[in-house]
Amino acid sequence: MRADLPTGTVTFLFTDIEGSTPLLHALGADGYADALAAHRRVLREAFDLHGGVEIDTQGDAFFVAFPTAPGAAAAALAATAALEAGPVRVRMGLHTGAPTVAHEGYVGVDVHRGARVAALAHGGQILISPPTASLLDGEHLEDLGAHRLKDFDGATRLFQLGGGTFPPLRTPGSVELPTPPTRFLGRERELYDAVSSWVAHTPRVLTIVGPGGTGKTRFAIELARLLADEADGATLFLPFAPVHESALVLRTIADQLGAPSAEPSSVAAAVGDRRTHLVLDNLEHLLPHIARPIAELVGAAPSLRLVATSREPLRIQGEVEFDLPPLAEEEAVTLFLERAKAVRPDTVSSPAVGELCRRLDRLPLALELAAARTKLLAPEVLLERLGDRLDLLAGTRDADERHATLRATITWSYDLLDENERRLFRRLAVFRGGCTLESAEAVCDTDLDTFASLLDKSLVRRRKGRLGEERFWMLETIRAFSVERLEESGEADAIRRRHGEHMLEIARSAHLAEDDLPADVAVGLAEQDNLRAALDWAEKHDPPFGLEIAIELQHLWNAASPEEGMHRFERLLERATPVSPELRAHALRVYGGTVDLSGEFDRSEELWKESLALYRTLGEDRGVAAVEHMLAVSAWRREDWERMRELTEHSLALAQGRFAFIETTGLYLLGQLALVDGDVEQATMLTRRSAEMARDAGWTWWESGQLHALLLLALRRGDLEEAEEQGTAALNLEREQENRLWTLYTIAGLAQVAHAKGDLGRAGLLWGAAEREAERLSKWADERARRGGVLVEERHPGFLAAVERGRALELWDAAAVALGEVEPD
């Protein structure tokens, strides 16, 4: 914990430059760099003079803490006066509170409130919140009235400190950009050129082009930060490196912008006339398929402007390409030294460092790889080891020169490895989305020392996974190089099969198929990218093996991605010929479940009927009992009570004392039959028993569904407290499993609870969010009345207004509102 941080009542000062983009364009790169440095010097002098402690800087913005409000006010006035004669105009905001002191700074709502106050100011203007104003008795303050702060309920009265006449306070859009862990170094010239291109050509899409490792992502983030002032809608960052299906690009954009569908017209309506900037990062692997959808999107949404990063241009109308060059010599040396000092603090600038940077073509990734090696080898030794070997390396004849150089840099790092390290490096390419150490050992046949060596050399990196586990991963560029080495090694198919077999083991150990042991869906979600990689390989090389994997993922498909599961089974069954009757029976059973959850009820019933016939021929009682349960659900949906009862009773007779999961699920169907007979108490008892058995066995997917059913039964009995309790418990489980469908249903149920309690605002908000999510469902028209109940006919103006607000909520945001974790706007 920092010892210099003020504690107790603290006044925060936030600053930011107004109009960074036109200022950079007007002054040029060198002039802007000089003005920026002078501005920083003036601000820091004022802060130091009045007892301020600098907490953070981002780009050209400061966050400073003062032990007293008068000290903060004096610093703000002094800095504003000192900057008045220069070209830089700085907006400032002050807020006083009692924040929590964390390891590297402050946390708490007061930090966010102070930043929001500053965001409303104009250049040269100092805004003050009420807590700060109350501590400035001797200062001249102008009451500006009440104003809305983003992400805060209600209006806040704001005051202006000092003189000056300014336009009405700003209403900027939200800026949601990543905060990289290391400083952005240099690139003033390139930023100037990119801003000039943005201003002069007004492109709909500005594509930052260059080979992997040039720093495209980091540059795009900084450029978007500079351009954010002109985006009164929002500035958002969307990473696409993990996305491998072009159809998901517009869906992702729509989700981020709050559009109900991925149609360009729907996204355009969500954007409206508010200027909105999106950074679309890492698009090269999705080309050329995503070029036309993006062109249609920007054509439909004139207020939307995109900054894209890719190894090649999109080649669409309205696009301007920006070729990101290597770093300038001084910038390259600075980057190398900063990264090298992190592993070898005594590293200093020298002729060898300058030559090393030059020989590495001043490419950021190459410099970082070389800097990591200084832990073992001094720059002079690195340069000597580099020798002529690097000059002999070349890419393909049509490769971009910088691409070839980066390949040479990674090849050089690869050639410095011993044979065990090289073998592990190429084998790790099979993992998509990283892996645990245990998985690396199992698939790659490695040892700890070899693995640790790759980690030390920055060829492998470490991060926390979603389960809190340590996961190891490669940068995309390095992994692409690793894939090439694997393909040329002659062992690619053997390693990919081993990877697939390991993923099958993980799925089985997590009991993700219908089993009488606890299913751990979270494990499946943590390994989702690797499971997809295994299935991708199996589809082409061994479809029956792919069916084995897909079958073992039943709970994962059901909970998190039934449509993906449906499409996987379609392709695998088409290619897996011949296939054994037993494997086909299992596949059709699980396939039918994904189809049913995707809303294609008639098709699912046909698949189950074929599966049932195969199970009966095989004499496989468990399969018969499982499929009869599913067909009973189909009969329930058709309100064929006689057929439902016949199938349920026969399924339970087969399962009794033998198949615990089917017994548990059968209790729910008996409860529904009791409900048909008008016995709500019996239905509740049976459903509660099903939920308890699922909880005891660790079947969280089924448990969440039973809790939702208990919500609806409690509503029928008029027990609103239990209804809310059960719905909240269901929603927590559904969110953990990323189960969008059941989350939708539970939010709709909780909306009914709120309505029954007379809270029309909450009811409308939740129902609006449910309606928005339901637009994804093909059968919502058939489900709507059953899921919405009285909400469907409610016409109170307050309810309808809340519905419209709810339609702006993304599903997981609505879940947070329903759980009371955040307050709605």
Side-chain angles (χ1 to χ4, degrees):
M1 185 176 294
R2 288 178 54 175
D4 59 341
L5 299 180
T7 57
T9 300
V10 179
T11 298
F12 293 137
L13 169 60
F14 288 86
T15 80
D16 197 10
I17 292 179
E18 181 184 64
S20 302
T21 304
L23 185 62
L24 176 58
H25 187 58
L27 298 180
D30 296 337
Y32 181 76
D34 292 341
L36 198 60
H39 136 271
R40 289 171 177 156
R41 184 175 59 254
V42 165
L43 290 184
R44 284 178 168 137
E45 287 174 357
F47 301 155
D48 290 343
L49 182 62
H50 296 281
V53 178
E54 187 176 317
I55 306 302
D56 194 17
T57 60
Q58 285 295 328
D60 45 24
F62 280 87
F63 170 25
V64 186
F66 291 80
T68 69
L77 288 168
T80 300
L83 290 171
E84 192 169 2
V88 176
R89 303 279 286 169
V90 174
R91 64 174 67 95
M92 300 188 189
L94 279 72
H95 173 65
T96 302
T100 300
V101 180
H103 184 68
E104 290 294 331
Y106 297 98
V107 295
V109 70
D110 289 311
V111 176
H112 301 288
R113 189 179 294 275
R116 297 295 188 249
V117 170
L120 298 184
H122 295 279
Q125 187 177 34
I126 306 168
L127 295 184
I128 307 289
S129 71
T132 306
S134 68
L135 300 173
L136 300 177
D137 295 335
E139 299 292 346
H140 170 69
L141 299 178
E142 179 182 352
D143 188 340
L144 300 180
H147 296 270
R148 178 72 178 270
L149 301 181
K150 185 180 182 296
D151 298 330
F152 287 89
D153 291 334
T156 299
R157 186 168 296 279
L158 296 178
F159 302 85
Q160 179 180 305
L161 174 65
T165 301
F166 300 93
L169 297 188
R170 304 168 67 247
T171 54
S174 62
V175 179
E176 299 178 21
L177 297 171
T179 303
T182 54
R183 291 192 304 138
F184 182 75
L185 297 170
R187 295 289 198 194
E188 279 87 4
R189 168 61 60 183
E190 290 81 6
L191 283 171
Y192 168 71
D193 291 341
V195 168
S196 297
S197 181
W198 184 270
V199 173
H201 302 294
T202 60
R204 304 305 309 284
V205 182
L206 179 66
T207 304
I208 314 301
V209 178
T214 331
K216 299 185 295 295
T217 297
R218 190 65 184 273
F219 182 83
I221 291 171
E222 199 63 25
L223 176 62
R225 208 181 301 281
L226 277 172
L227 299 172
D229 265 358
E230 68 175 53
D232 56 353
T235 299
L236 305 174
F237 179 88
L238 289 80
F240 286 103
V243 176
H244 291 270
E245 294 184 30
S246 57
L248 295 177
V249 172
L250 289 195
R251 177 71 265 167
T252 301
I253 292 173
D255 287 347
Q256 286 294 313
L257 293 174
S261 83
E263 290 297 319
S265 58
S266 178
V267 177
V271 172
D273 59 0
R274 292 173 66 86
R275 289 166 297 180
T276 300
H277 296 171
L278 300 183
V279 178
L280 309 184
D281 190 44
N282 279 328
L283 295 179
E284 57 271 0
H285 60 296
L286 298 167
L287 289 171
H289 305 294
I290 49 96
R292 183 178 293 277
I294 288 179
E296 292 172 350
L297 174 62
V298 296
S303 297
L304 187 65
R305 296 181 74 180
L306 310 179
V307 175
T309 71
S310 176
R311 296 183 192 179
E312 60 180 303
L314 278 62
R315 304 196 189 285
I316 61 175
Q317 292 184 8
E319 178 191 36
V320 168
E321 301 172 27
F322 186 88
D323 194 356
L324 189 64
L327 293 168
E329 182 176 349
E330 183 179 349
E331 295 171 345
V333 170
T334 301
L335 175 63
F336 177 85
L337 289 174
E338 177 157 304
R339 302 298 188 260
K341 286 179 178 179
V343 296
R344 188 170 183 153
D346 62 349
T347 306
V348 297
S349 183
S350 68
V353 169
E355 178 64 13
L356 184 62
C357 292
R358 186 188 69 79
R359 295 287 297 278
L360 294 175
D361 269 358
R362 305 184 303 279
L363 292 169
L365 176 58
L367 295 172
E368 297 207 16
L369 289 170
R373 295 306 300 264
T374 61
K375 185 176 184 179
L376 176 65
L377 304 173
E380 292 77 9
V381 180
L382 276 173
L383 185 60
E384 183 181 344
R385 295 283 294 271
L386 195 62
D388 293 335
R389 180 74 178 91
L390 183 59
D391 297 334
L392 295 174
L393 297 172
T396 56
R397 293 188 177 185
D398 61 345
D400 183 278
E401 181 179 351
R402 287 173 299 278
H403 197 172
T405 303
L406 181 60
R407 178 183 298 279
T409 302
I410 303 174
T411 300
W412 164 66
S413 294
Y414 179 74
D415 287 347
L416 288 175
L417 304 177
D418 64 30
E419 185 51 41
N420 287 335
E421 291 169 337
R422 292 183 192 181
R423 182 168 55 250
L424 174 58
F425 174 75
R426 66 176 180 255
R427 289 179 175 182
L428 285 171
V430 298
F431 291 103
R432 187 188 297 172
C435 64
T436 63
L437 178 59
E438 293 76 14
S439 289
E441 289 175 320
V443 174
C444 302
D445 190 24
T446 187
D447 57 74
L448 288 177
D449 289 341
T450 305
F451 197 91
S453 179
L454 293 188
L455 186 64
D456 283 343
K457 293 166 185 171
S458 293
L459 290 170
V460 173
R461 300 194 174 195
R462 175 168 44 202
R463 66 185 175 206
K464 286 289 185 185
R466 65 180 294 142
L467 302 177
E469 81 284 15
E470 283 200 330
R471 293 188 74 83
F472 300 90
W473 59 288
M474 291 180 171
L475 294 170
E476 287 297 310
T477 303
I478 294 176
R479 181 173 177 268
F481 182 90
S482 177
V483 168
E484 292 180 355
R485 302 288 77 74
L486 179 63
E487 294 300 332
E488 70 185 18
S489 71
E491 63 175 7
D493 277 347
I495 297 301
R496 293 189 188 284
R497 177 173 289 282
R498 190 184 297 176
H499 172 263
E501 289 170 347
H502 183 65
M503 288 301 110
L504 182 58
E505 288 178 14
I506 286 177
R508 285 173 174 164
S509 66
H511 311 299
L512 296 177
E514 192 170 76
D515 202 299
D516 291 339
L517 294 170
D520 195 343
V521 175
V523 170
L525 291 170
E527 294 291 354
Q528 199 163 32
D529 287 337
N530 276 315
L531 291 165
R532 286 167 173 161
L535 286 165
D536 288 345
W537 177 82
E539 278 185 26
K540 295 179 180 178
H541 297 87
D542 192 345
F545 176 57
L547 281 175
E548 289 184 51
I549 298 174
I551 290 165
E552 292 296 330
L553 299 179
Q554 178 177 0
H555 284 307
L556 182 63
W557 301 134
N558 290 350
S561 46
E563 288 189 6
E564 179 183 351
M566 175 177 69
H567 295 313
R568 290 281 186 186
F569 276 107
E570 283 175 358
R571 296 192 296 266
L572 286 166
L573 283 167
E574 182 179 335
R575 298 172 184 178
T577 52
V579 63
S580 71
E582 183 177 10
L583 184 61
R584 183 171 180 82
H586 294 328
L588 291 172
R589 170 175 55 81
V590 182
Y591 179 21
T594 64
V595 171
D596 184 76
L597 287 168
S598 299
E600 299 186 29
F601 305 134
D602 292 341
R603 187 153 73 103
S604 65
E605 192 164 352
E606 292 304 312
L607 293 168
W608 285 331
K609 286 177 179 178
E610 184 182 346
S611 175
L612 181 60
L614 287 169
Y615 278 132
R616 283 174 172 162
T617 300
L618 292 165
E620 221 275 46
D621 285 352
R622 182 188 183 89
V624 171
V627 176
E628 284 184 338
H629 166 82
M630 295 169 176
L631 288 169
V633 173
S634 293
W636 167 75
R637 191 178 288 118
R638 296 194 314 271
E639 298 185 1
D640 186 346
W641 311 126
E642 183 178 347
R643 179 62 174 160
M644 177 186 172
R645 192 180 304 275
E646 175 189 342
L647 288 164
T648 300
E649 290 175 351
H650 189 261
S651 172
L652 283 171
L654 288 174
Q656 189 170 12
R658 301 166 68 194
F659 314 129
F661 182 80
I662 299 170
E663 283 188 278
T664 302
T665 57
L667 287 174
Y668 165 72
L669 291 178
L670 289 179
Q672 292 301 298
L673 287 168
L675 198 61
V676 170
D677 295 336
D679 192 341
V680 178
E681 293 301 326
Q682 177 72 358
T684 301
M685 185 273 291
L686 290 166
T687 305
R688 183 171 286 121
R689 179 61 183 146
S690 181
E692 290 168 352
M693 290 174 65
R695 184 183 305 116
D696 292 343
W699 299 319
T700 52
W701 174 71
W702 185 257
E703 180 191 356
S704 68
Q706 297 311 287
L707 293 172
H708 168 78
L710 288 170
L711 178 164
L712 299 180
L713 288 166
L715 264 176
R716 280 178 175 262
R717 300 195 315 274
D719 189 340
L720 302 184
E721 295 307 316
E722 183 184 345
E724 186 148 26
E725 179 183 342
Q726 302 289 3
T728 298
L731 190 55
N732 272 310
L733 291 177
E734 289 154 0
R735 186 172 61 172
E736 286 175 10
Q737 299 170 76
E738 299 182 13
N739 189 335
R740 297 187 73 96
L741 180 64
W742 287 7
T743 295
L744 155 64
Y745 290 162
T746 298
I747 287 175
L750 288 170
Q752 290 191 62
V753 174
H755 185 274
K757 288 184 172 183
D759 190 344
L760 295 183
R762 178 177 172 83
L765 194 76
L766 296 180
W767 179 241
E771 288 268 60
R772 169 186 162 168
E773 176 68 16
E775 291 175 4
R776 302 170 182 263
L777 306 181
S778 60
K779 298 291 186 179
W780 180 241
D782 300 331
E783 289 277 304
R784 187 168 181 265
R786 188 154 61 91
R787 300 296 174 181
V790 296
L791 304 175
V792 174
E793 303 299 329
E794 179 60 68
R795 291 295 179 267
H796 188 281
F799 173 82
L800 296 177
V803 168
E804 291 308 307
R805 294 198 304 277
R807 286 182 178 276
L809 290 175
E810 199 277 330
L811 181 68
W812 303 123
D813 292 335
V817 170
L819 292 169
E821 297 172 348
V822 298
E823 289 297 322
D825 291 337

